Amino acid sequence: FRPEIDRWMQPELPAAPQVPAAQVLAMAEQRLLARAPQAERWSVNLPVDRNNPWLRVSWRGNGPNGSEQLNQATGQPLEARASGGGQLLYRMHWRLYYLPSAMADWLVGLATMFMLLAIVTGIIVHKKIFADFFTFRPAKGQRSWLDAHNVLSVVALPFHLMITYSGLLFFATLYMPLVIAAHYGTGEENRRLYFDELNGRAALLAEPAGVAATLTPLSPLLAQAEARWGEGQVQSLDIRHPGDTQARVTARQATSGPLRSAETLVFDGVSGELLEVLPAIRSTPKAINDVLLGLHEGLFAGPVLRWLYFLSGLLGTAMIATGLVLWTVKRRQRAQKQADADHRGLVLVERLNVGTVVGLPIAIAAYFWANRLIPVAFEARAAWEAHAMFIAWGLLLLHATLRPTARAWIEQGWLAAAAFALLPVLNALTTERHLGASLPQGDWVMAGFDLTMLVFGLAFAALAWRLTRRAQPQLQSQGVGSPLPVRASATIRHARAGE
């Protein structure tokens, strides 16, 4: 839902109009000629789907690089508040934040490999995987939490396995560079040659001749591509060396399925002659790789499948959260029998659980709050949206260390409920794109975001209310333990039987 989050965080943007591709391309060409007539490369991304709702042009070489997002109805740049939007959250899942990209790639790759190892070994040792799928015993204390953990683990298992393995494939050449070096040699030039051959870019690599020539009109090339693929199926055009006799224009087909690669047409940029057709499937191994990467990103998914992706992600989050809580509850029970032992590690994990399971969602809500509260004219507002998220998360981790654990769970639960449930109210107070306007207009992107935040708020409120109701004994005991009620020896026997 990155594009939808982008839209909510830039409420000044109107709904994207539907304009014929030929008209949009003419606007893009006119804008590029005005902004970067001497550039070595132009790129035009056409508005073909929800992932690319606006016309985007960019240019590189022979001067400053740049890009603009244009209103395809007017051809003028879109003006909206600076914001990290959903793109920042999307990039954070593998690039983290405040860290060099290389360090983040390796840290996330290491964590992903451990997760894949945990999934595979978990399947092997889980003898009752099908029985646990159908087993849930409510109102049984810790036994119910263990049942919930098992069910959550099994229900979304194919999704977890696919996401983890395909995530590693994104950086396979980074983690295994010697595979390329063995066949192409070392050095950046040889590495670039590998990727050029892999992606079929040989026809695009003609060096500029340095002889001026008029760029062929782009509209006939667009028409030729649409005649082959269908109207509205051209995703982008890439123009190399515009104004040179060696100019090349490539048109890329929009993808509609999990196969991440697409057919590409290569044209002579002066005569308009079709030079080469690069198929979407160039080899079986690459096609398998591209399908796995496409499944990982899920950009092809329609509304129903997107929600299934989203719910599978929530199931994975709940699986991890229940596992963290169960780990601390069982070790807290052991700690209560060993009064003279050092339990500082257990106490640390209990506090981190609160700040992660509940504190991190609150921090993300703070990111959305900052989007509405930071003045639009503030120069560094996009950066401070992210700073606000991490500052909030740090304060919540500090809160978890200073408060009794059971109280910290409840207090942060109620804070999460307020942070999410009041976001639509904040939106109504600060913009004109609130539920009172978006619902009558049928603007389901803006309305859907607000309604989803309300659902999150209600879910956290239900969690906080349940923890308050069930944790009364712990609230009397200096806050030692977790939000789960530690029942009598029968509960411990049930848990040990489950092991």
Side-chain angles (χ1 to χ4, degrees), residues 24 61 81 114 124 136 212 234 239 276 291 310 398 414 450 477 483:
V24 172
R81 68 186 65 192
F114 274 114
I124 294 172
F136 180 71
V234 180
I239 302 96
E276 189 172 355
V291 167
F310 180 75
L398 179 62
W414 284 116
D450 281 345
S477 61

Side-chain angles (χ1 to χ4, degrees), residues 131-458:
D132 286 337
F133 178 77
F134 297 103
T135 302
F136 180 71
R137 288 154 284 194
K140 298 293 184 182
Q142 189 172 317
R143 178 72 258 180
S144 298
W145 278 77
L146 186 57
D147 284 347
H149 176 73
N150 291 334
V151 169
L152 293 168
S153 302
V154 175
V155 167
L157 179 60
F159 176 82
H160 300 152
L161 190 60
M162 178 275 291
I163 284 291
T164 308
Y165 179 69
S166 59
L168 287 170
L169 286 182
F170 267 99
F171 298 102
T173 56
L174 172 66
Y175 304 140
M176 298 184 292
L178 295 181
V179 175
I180 299 176
H183 296 276
Y184 288 82
T186 59
E188 185 60 32
E189 183 176 348
N190 289 323
R191 183 179 175 86
R192 190 181 302 114
L193 176 62
Y194 160 77
F195 284 108
D196 289 338
E197 292 187 6
L198 176 69
N199 297 312
R201 289 199 291 252
L204 306 178
L205 300 179
E207 293 294 329
V211 179
T214 303
L215 181 68
T216 185
L218 298 180
S219 296
L221 307 187
L222 175 69
Q224 188 172 338
E226 288 192 328
R228 184 182 183 93
W229 299 328
E231 187 176 352
Q233 293 302 306
V234 180
Q235 178 174 300
S236 63
L237 284 91
D238 186 10
I239 302 96
R240 307 281 181 112
H241 318 308
D244 189 273
T245 56
Q246 288 288 83
R248 294 290 185 271
V249 179
T250 63
R252 188 176 190 274
Q253 183 182 11
T255 57
S256 58
L259 181 63
R260 197 166 178 252
S261 55
E263 188 174 79
T264 302
L265 305 181
V266 183
F267 298 93
D268 186 297
V270 177
S271 67
E273 177 188 358
L274 178 62
L275 299 177
E276 189 172 355
V277 178
L278 303 177
I281 299 177
R282 294 160 200 158
S283 71
T284 301
K286 186 176 185 303
I288 294 172
N289 179 78
D290 288 343
V291 167
L292 286 169
L293 298 187
L295 287 172
H296 183 96
E297 292 180 318
L299 299 179
F300 67 95
V304 174
L305 187 53
R306 282 203 301 276
W307 279 106
L308 288 176
Y309 265 79
F310 180 75
L311 293 174
S312 297
L314 287 183
L315 288 173
T317 304
M319 173 191 69
I320 295 171
T322 53
L324 290 171
V325 171
L326 282 168
W327 188 91
T328 55
V329 168
K330 292 169 73 173
R331 278 152 185 80
R332 174 55 61 188
Q333 291 168 351
R334 296 177 192 173
Q336 290 173 344
K337 298 178 181 179
Q338 302 172 352
D340 57 342
D342 187 353
H343 304 303
R344 285 178 295 182
L346 172 60
V347 172
L348 174 64
V349 175
E350 287 175 333
R351 269 49 177 185
L352 289 175
N353 280 356
V354 180
T356 302
V357 176
V358 186
L360 179 56
I362 299 173
I364 295 174
Y367 175 64
F368 297 139
W369 277 74
N371 175 262
R372 290 297 191 260
L373 295 179
I374 296 175
V376 173
F378 183 55
E379 185 176 354
R381 73 176 321 279
W384 273 98
E385 287 178 353
H387 297 335
M389 174 167 54
F390 284 101
I391 290 170
W393 194 13
L395 292 174
L396 290 160
L397 287 167
L398 179 62
H399 169 266
T401 64
L402 299 178
R403 298 290 291 163
T405 307
R407 292 184 183 274
W409 278 101
I410 293 170
E411 291 165 0
Q412 292 201 17
W414 284 116
L415 180 59
F420 283 101
L422 293 177
L423 263 174
V425 178
L426 175 67
N427 186 37
L429 295 174
T430 54
T431 75
E432 297 179 355
R433 310 300 294 278
H434 49 79
L435 283 172
S438 57
L439 282 176
Q441 295 170 2
D443 187 351
W444 287 106
V445 172
M446 298 296 291
F449 186 96
D450 281 345
L451 292 173
T452 301
M453 295 303 103
L454 282 174
V455 171
F456 274 129
L458 293 174

Side-chain angles (χ1 to χ4, degrees), residues 97-157:
Y97 204 75
Y98 301 122
L99 292 180
S101 59
M103 181 185 297
D105 291 341
W106 278 100
L107 286 174
V108 172
L110 184 64
T112 306
M113 180 58 74
F114 274 114
M115 182 173 176
L116 181 63
L117 182 65
I119 291 173
V120 174
T121 54
I123 295 172
I124 294 172
V125 303
H126 209 308
K127 299 178 181 179
K128 300 179 180 180
I129 188 169
F130 291 106
D132 286 337
F133 178 77
F134 297 103
T135 302
F136 180 71
R137 288 154 284 194
K140 298 293 184 182
Q142 189 172 317
R143 178 72 258 180
S144 298
W145 278 77
L146 186 57
D147 284 347
H149 176 73
N150 291 334
V151 169
L152 293 168
S153 302
V154 175
V155 167
L157 179 60

